[in-house]
Amino acid sequence: VAAIESNTAAAAMAESPCYGKWGGDWTLVRHAYGTWHGATDNLAGTHVYGTFDNDPQSYGTWGRYFADALPSDRSMLFMFSNGDCSKWMVAAQNQFRTASTNWYTASVVASYQGVAHTASWRWYTSIAGDPLLKVGSEYLYKEESSSLGSVSGQDYWHNVWIKADEYTWSAKRKHHLPALMSWSEADTYCDSQLASIHSASSLRLAKLRCEELRVSVNMDASGCWIGLSDIASEGAFLWSDGSVSDY
């Protein structure tokens, strides 16, 4: 019986349009139907409840231990979605660690043709239902099983997915980053491997990584350097890694 249930859950996951979003390989770790999530751990992944079924469109409400899905020493990406992932948002794990009674905003990757959106969240540790996350006017995460209010269709389902963040900087670079740099200083520091951008998707990813870095080191920077410059010859822009300028 266990094998049959496992195969059924795997089939449901394989058919879900959510699995392949934003690079794919997502693991479903928290699911709610007709209510917000039953967790009370401020999105830490330590509250286990309900009956896990691995189905983003089931009628249950459950949460699993995040470390069961991903080793605790790995940095995570989150994806918050409705039932069929017609609405979704991807954000880095450390973007939601800013405690505040007010709304905090940052750039994220979201639905609506996958363009970059601004996410807002409130994270006040004395409020058990926080963090409260939204993209625009769309709420995508809340805890404490509070009422969804007036919703319909796929918005009755709320899911939390995680996967390893393959692009996270090493601990040394993340926590011992020098002061703000000029382009030349940054290029030298990164061994001429500043990001080169060749598609709309890589541009969105670069924006997400920049926001993650700024949040993780509390840096008062207006942005991040990429590898494109005309430092060798004014007006002739080249990528520092030698790649072709094709976007």
Side-chain angles (χ1 to χ4, degrees), residues 26 43 64-65 71 88 106 119 123 135-136 147 169 184 194 235 239 247:
W26 293 99
L43 203 56
R64 61 187 296 200
Y65 191 47
W88 55 270
W123 190 308
V135 176
S147 172
W169 284 40
S184 295
L194 288 170
W239 292 108
Y247 175 73

Side-chain angles (χ1 to χ4, degrees), residues 1-73:
V1 173
I4 294 174
E5 290 176 348
S6 177
N7 290 339
T8 301
M13 182 61 68
E15 294 173 359
S16 170
C18 301
Y19 185 75
K21 294 291 184 185
W22 195 246
D25 202 28
W26 293 99
T27 297
L28 186 60
V29 292
R30 199 162 279 181
H31 171 74
Y33 173 75
T35 182
W36 286 110
H37 297 278
T40 56
D41 61 359
N42 299 119
L43 203 56
T46 56
H47 191 171
V48 179
Y49 54 94
T51 302
F52 170 65
D53 59 23
N54 206 33
D55 184 349
Q57 292 180 292
S58 74
Y59 298 102
T61 296
W62 52 264
R64 61 187 296 200
Y65 191 47
F66 288 5
D68 286 344
L70 194 70
S72 58
D73 62 342

Side-chain angles (χ1 to χ4, degrees), residues 4 15 25 37 40-41 44 80 87-88 97 118 123 155 161-162 170 174 183 191 194 200 208 213 217 226 230 232:
I4 294 174
E15 294 173 359
D25 202 28
H37 297 278
T40 56
D41 61 359
F80 306 93
K87 296 175 183 177
W88 55 270
R97 296 294 186 240
T118 297
W123 190 308
D155 291 348
W161 312 72
I162 62 173
S170 68
K174 178 178 287 188
W183 186 90
D191 301 321
L194 288 170
L208 178 65
L213 177 61
V217 297
I226 61 173
D230 63 347

